[in-house]
Amino acid sequence: MNAINLSVMARAKALHKPKSVSPVDAEPARNGPVLSELVCVERWNETVDVVSFRFQAGEPMKFDYKPGQFMTFVLEINGEQVCRSYTLSSSPSRPYSLMVTIKRVAGGLVSNYLIDHLQPGQRVRVLPPMGQFNLVDIPAQKYLFLSAGCGITPMYSMSRYLTDTQIDADIAFVHSARSDADIIFKSSLETMANRFNAFQLSYALESAAASPLFYPKISFDIGRLTAQMLQTLVPDVAERAVYLCGPEPYMQAVKALLAELNFDMSRLHHESFATAEKAARNQLMQAKSSETDENPQAGAFTLPIFNLAIGDRSTRLMQGQSLLEGIESEGLPIIAACRSGVCGACKCQVLEGETVSTSVMTLSAAEIDAGFVLACSTTLTSDVTLKL
């Protein structure tokens, strides 16, 4: 994972020569991710109930991360520590600041707290960006970004990155919103569509003003996204890699309409908020474990570690890390197309040990009984012997 070490960046002194910091620059003594501080330098409303926040390090530094990754905030609210992950809506092609975009939601403790209280000049504690749903780990030649609501944030980051770094990146972007007034990043997206010929922007709106104002190049349709609507807006959908993010009902509906179009599901990649939250919790536990190693008085904190054996190779995995992470860390050959438990390409067999899987899609009952699992969706609960 090409994540940043924020504490290292914050200690750098070369103000006139900002440099990019990646994990290779981190202090070797640290065993886990580092809790660090960022300064909020700006906030603004994207829509009535959505706010973007921009952050910088204490001194000018370049942030090194992958477009589509998320960052975890660690806050104290009402005397209790809480953490919440938000996808970065900024792009590493504009590396001197980080941005998150947050929607006010009923009962949203952290989101509503940040919107109500976080102001420019204040500091927040964060963990380094992480996440497998990103353009570096999932490259493509032709892109189709499908999003709804705040699921637009990774797609915006990816779009900004591609238009900043590639000539004529072939992007089709279809965003679903309640109305034209609820489109997040509306002005910026439409500017991208107007400037870049290969950037094809469309909206699926549940309702709209009598004559919504869009640039001539932008398409829109009224109603929830359907297979027919998608085929009309993006006629070459079958040729594209699909990146999907949004509320769970929306993502399930999109998977169904793609199946209706006989889309090759190995080309579907989606953000899993449950997986992201689990990864964030593991990251926080590693940070706490690292702090405890350096300061035993910080309190006892243990994180289960299991052995993964594959043939004559073995590696150690912390609780919550996937089989896929262990396989790839050893450089062993495995196909991982969707990384979300959909395509079935990363099927492998557990010979010994106990695991937990969040997806068994594409596996038959006989395969499950024989110990087959999907590596991207399976974690260890004991030492495991695996066959690829």
Side-chain angles (χ1 to χ4, degrees):
M1 179 180 66
N2 188 22
I4 56 171
N5 187 321
L6 296 169
S7 68
V8 174
M9 293 193 304
R11 286 197 296 272
K13 300 299 182 183
L15 291 178
H16 62 293
K17 291 183 179 180
K19 63 180 181 179
S20 177
V21 179
S22 63
V24 296
D25 299 303
E27 300 169 55
R30 309 286 307 196
N31 295 319
V34 182
L35 273 169
S36 304
E37 283 190 338
L38 290 179
V39 181
C40 176
V41 296
E42 190 178 6
R43 61 172 284 165
W44 63 93
N45 274 77
E46 300 286 354
T47 68
V48 171
D49 56 359
V50 176
V51 178
S52 285
F53 297 88
R54 190 165 68 89
F55 301 91
Q56 292 179 335
E59 299 174 354
M61 286 292 140
K62 290 183 178 180
F63 296 92
D64 187 8
Y65 59 101
K66 303 173 185 179
Q69 290 189 310
F70 61 86
M71 182 169 68
T72 301
F73 288 72
V74 182
L75 308 172
E76 187 171 302
I77 301 177
N78 299 326
E80 294 187 6
Q81 180 176 281
V82 294
C83 63
R84 175 72 161 83
S85 300
Y86 297 98
T87 302
L88 289 162
S89 46
S90 51
S91 165
S93 56
R94 304 183 180 198
Y96 292 96
S97 63
L98 298 172
M99 186 172 85
V100 297
T101 301
I102 300 174
K103 178 182 175 67
R104 183 183 294 280
V105 292
L109 176 64
V110 178
S111 297
N112 295 347
Y113 178 86
L114 290 171
I115 289 175
D116 290 337
H117 295 94
L118 184 58
Q119 298 295 330
Q122 296 178 336
R123 294 174 178 265
V124 293
R125 291 199 306 164
V126 299
L127 290 165
M130 66 179 301
Q132 296 179 341
F133 184 72
N134 65 79
L135 287 182
V136 176
D137 294 326
I138 313 173
Q141 295 298 316
K142 299 178 69 173
Y143 304 87
L144 172 53
F145 298 147
L146 299 177
S147 62
C150 273
I152 196 172
T153 52
M155 311 310 181
Y156 180 75
S157 173
M158 294 176 182
S159 297
R160 179 69 75 187
Y161 179 80
L162 289 170
T163 54
D164 279 349
T165 62
Q166 294 187 17
I167 298 175
D168 292 332
D170 192 339
I171 305 167
F173 193 142
V174 181
H175 178 64
S176 297
R178 288 174 298 182
S179 71
D180 49 323
D182 295 301
I183 299 173
I184 304 169
F185 311 128
K186 181 174 182 289
S187 177
S188 297
L189 282 173
E190 293 178 7
T191 298
M192 272 192 265
N194 197 44
R195 291 179 58 194
F196 299 98
N197 291 330
F199 187 89
Q200 175 188 339
L201 179 61
S202 305
Y203 297 124
L205 305 175
E206 292 184 25
S207 64
S211 299
L213 298 176
F214 297 124
Y215 284 109
K217 285 180 59 179
I218 297 169
S219 303
F220 75 94
D221 207 337
I222 303 300
R224 296 192 175 186
L225 189 65
T226 64
Q228 181 179 355
M229 186 189 299
L230 181 60
Q231 189 76 72
T232 300
L233 294 173
V234 189
D236 61 349
V237 57
E239 302 173 16
R240 297 180 178 272
V242 173
Y243 298 73
L244 171 65
C245 189
E248 189 61 29
Y250 164 80
M251 294 204 294
Q252 292 301 324
V254 169
K255 290 176 186 177
L257 70 85
L258 289 174
E260 185 180 339
L261 293 172
N262 295 316
F263 183 78
D264 178 1
M265 300 304 261
S266 70
R267 298 169 63 84
L268 169 64
H269 316 283
H270 65 87
E271 178 66 288
S272 169
F273 292 112
T275 301
E277 289 296 331
K278 182 172 67 176
R281 286 195 298 271
N282 286 334
Q283 195 186 31
L284 181 59
M285 287 191 290
Q286 290 177 52
K288 287 182 176 180
S289 181
S290 179
E291 289 175 354
T292 302
D293 288 343
E294 295 185 354
N295 178 18
Q297 301 304 315
F301 191 91
T302 59
L303 188 67
I305 297 178
F306 304 112
N307 187 69
L308 174 62
I310 311 169
D312 60 353
R313 308 282 283 275
S314 67
T315 187
R316 306 285 279 173
L317 291 180
M318 284 187 247
Q319 185 180 56
Q321 288 186 284
S322 69
L323 286 176
L324 182 60
E325 291 178 78
I327 295 166
E328 291 183 332
S329 72
E330 288 299 303
L332 295 170
I334 187 168
I335 299 172
C338 71
R339 294 178 175 267
S340 55
V342 175
C343 72
C346 62
K347 179 174 68 175
C348 52
Q349 187 178 20
V350 175
L351 301 178
E352 295 181 2
E354 301 296 326
T355 61
V356 173
S357 296
T358 58
S359 173
V360 291
M361 290 178 66
T362 75
L363 295 178
S364 67
E367 287 175 323
I368 294 171
D369 289 341
F372 284 94
V373 296
L374 302 180
C376 67
S377 307
T378 302
T379 58
L380 282 64
T381 57
S382 74
D383 292 343
V384 163
T385 299
L386 192 69
K387 180 181 179 181
L388 298 181

